């Protein structure tokens, strides 16, 4: 039996702006000052390296979160979302602090809180939100929500930060603080940097130790290739303790090794084996082995892109998935099924992407094989009795604006 293949919607910028403007007008009986948007992201390679001071290589997706905003003269924030049809949420911005706001609202008011904590003159506002970034897919819908809020508040309150990469790096750092302290998710900074600092047609090589970036040309179509993203629809959450446990293990290993971050192990001439020999905790050994090797894989991946050898990166993708599955232990049945099926169907390489424990996987495939590989994955999920996955083709897209 052939399963149906579900392709995930993507809106044009005009469609997204029209939708969120209409939502704002309908709920608040007023017009917003403008509309802004920010993309989700998919990471090509470099997983769980960001909070270890490492390297990662995301691209911004064409799938975006759209935000319409109007300033207020008080500290009240009123929020509506097309994904939540039950009325208007109201929050007193002056009362926002860690532990005071739950759910998606925390990602929005958390950004305003972080801006105020940094000394920026942000007051209350009305905001409407709509999004075509798949929720719970490990494609950073949370960072898209934060980044769209950040550029909107930057504009309506005249902060001037989004006009330069330096300012956007500041916004990204404040979005990380909002996610860590208000939303309660201990993520690193890759997602926010990808949403705010990427460039159309380029992958973002992010050095998480110093925050520097390099825009690496990434045009798969020129090589007759495509990046197929598969949302496994498996439950995906980063606030349930598993992600935090991985981060804590890395921090403990770094302390044991006498380094600030595991990036220093990667740069140490004594090498990985020296570091592993100093650790007596087998879990820490596996975590460090993944992080250090993954940082190296990012370097090799970029070198291949620079050399025009895009078709050779599949081996690195495959090795990354094996490391995430076996050493970092963040894969799951659905992610492994995507990867194994895509490779068997002829993918150049495949790997899970994002934090893991569900979410999405990516496969590098020939342009004319996208439909066939997607069909093979959909059939495999149906045969396994799993919920039908969703599919999209990722192209490197514009940042928040």
């Amino acid at each position: 039996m052939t399963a149906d293949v579900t392709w995930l919607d993507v809106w044009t910028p005009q469609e997204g702006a029209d939708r969120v403007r209409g939502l704002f007008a309908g709920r608040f009986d007023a017009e917003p000052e403008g509309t802004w948007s920010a993309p989700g992201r998919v990471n090509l390679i470099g997983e769980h390296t960001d909070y270890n001071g490492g390297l990662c290589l995301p691209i911004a997706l064409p799938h975006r979160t759209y935000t319409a905003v109007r300033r207020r003269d008080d500290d009240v924030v009123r929020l509506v979302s097309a994904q939540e049809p039950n009325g208007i949420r109201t929050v007193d911005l002056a009362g926002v602090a860690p532990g005071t706001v739950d759910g998606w609202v925390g990602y929005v008011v958390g950004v305003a809180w972080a801006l105020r904590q940094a000394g920026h003159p942000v007051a209350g506002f009305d905001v409407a939100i709509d999004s075509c970034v798949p929720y719970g897919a490990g494609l950073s819908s949370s960072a898209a929500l934060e980044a769209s809020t950040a550029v909107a508040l930057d504009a309506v309150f005249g902060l001037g930060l989004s006009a330069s990469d330096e300012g956007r790096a500041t916004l990204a750092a404040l979005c990380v603080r909002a996610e860590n302290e208000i939303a309660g998710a201990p993520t690193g900074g890759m997602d926010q940097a990808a949403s705010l600092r990427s460039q159309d047609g380029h992958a973002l090589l992010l050095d998480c130790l110093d925050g520097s970036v390099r825009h690496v040309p990434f045009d798969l179509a020129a090589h007759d290739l495509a990046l197929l993203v598969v949302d496994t629809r498996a439950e995906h959450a980063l606030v349930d303790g598993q992600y935090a446990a991985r981060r804590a293990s890395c921090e403990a290993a770094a302390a044991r090794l006498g380094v600030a971050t595991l990036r220093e192990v990667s740069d140490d001439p004594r090498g990985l084996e020296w570091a592993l020999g100093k650790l007596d905790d087998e879990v820490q050994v596996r975590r460090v082995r993944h992080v250090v090797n993954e940082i190296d894989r990012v370097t090799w991946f970029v070198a291949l892109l620079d050399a025009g050898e895009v078709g050779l990166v599949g081996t690195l993708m495959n090795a990354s998935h094996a490391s995430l599955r076996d050493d970092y232990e963040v894969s799951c049945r659905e992610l492994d099924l995507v990867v194994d099926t895509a490779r068997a169907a002829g993918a150049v390489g495949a790997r899970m992407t994002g934090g893991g424990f569900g979410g999405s996987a990516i496969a590098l495939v020939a342009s004319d094989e996208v439909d066939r590989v997607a069909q093979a994955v959909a059939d495999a999920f149906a045969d396994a009795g799993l919920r039908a996955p969703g599919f999209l083709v990722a192209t490197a897209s514009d940042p928040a604006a």
Side-chain angles (χ1 to χ4, degrees), residues 299-341:
T299 301
W300 298 332
F301 196 109
V302 171
L304 288 171
L305 293 184
D306 287 340
E309 300 288 356
V310 182
L312 299 181
V313 302
T315 299
L316 297 172
M317 296 172 68
N318 295 340
S320 175
H321 184 79
S323 180
L324 287 159
R325 181 192 63 211
D326 300 336
D327 277 347
Y328 224 69
E329 299 177 287
V330 292
S331 190
C332 64
R333 177 190 180 193
E334 292 88 348
L335 290 168
D336 291 342
L337 183 59
V338 173
V339 169
D340 294 343
T341 303

Side-chain angles (χ1 to χ4, degrees), residues 48-130:
H48 289 277
T49 57
D50 54 352
Y51 53 83
N52 287 297
L55 304 171
C56 49
L57 192 69
I59 60 172
L61 289 171
H63 298 70
R64 302 175 76 88
T65 292
Y66 292 83
T67 300
V69 172
R70 185 182 183 93
R71 286 171 292 182
R72 297 176 59 90
D73 295 326
D74 52 25
D75 267 353
V76 172
V77 180
R78 296 193 301 169
L79 311 96
V80 298
S81 169
Q83 284 67 50
E84 183 184 79
N86 300 323
I88 298 174
R89 298 277 199 102
T90 301
V91 175
D92 180 358
L93 188 55
V96 173
T100 63
V101 187
D102 294 325
W104 68 270
V105 172
Y107 294 94
V108 178
V109 299
V111 172
W113 170 84
L115 283 164
R116 283 168 61 129
Q117 290 285 304
H120 297 290
V122 173
F125 53 95
D126 294 336
V127 57
I129 294 159
D130 203 350

Side-chain angles (χ1 to χ4, degrees), residues 234-250:
E235 183 179 353
H236 171 80
L238 296 184
V239 294
D240 63 357
Q242 291 293 331
Y243 187 102
R246 299 304 186 281
R247 184 167 185 163
S249 182
C250 289

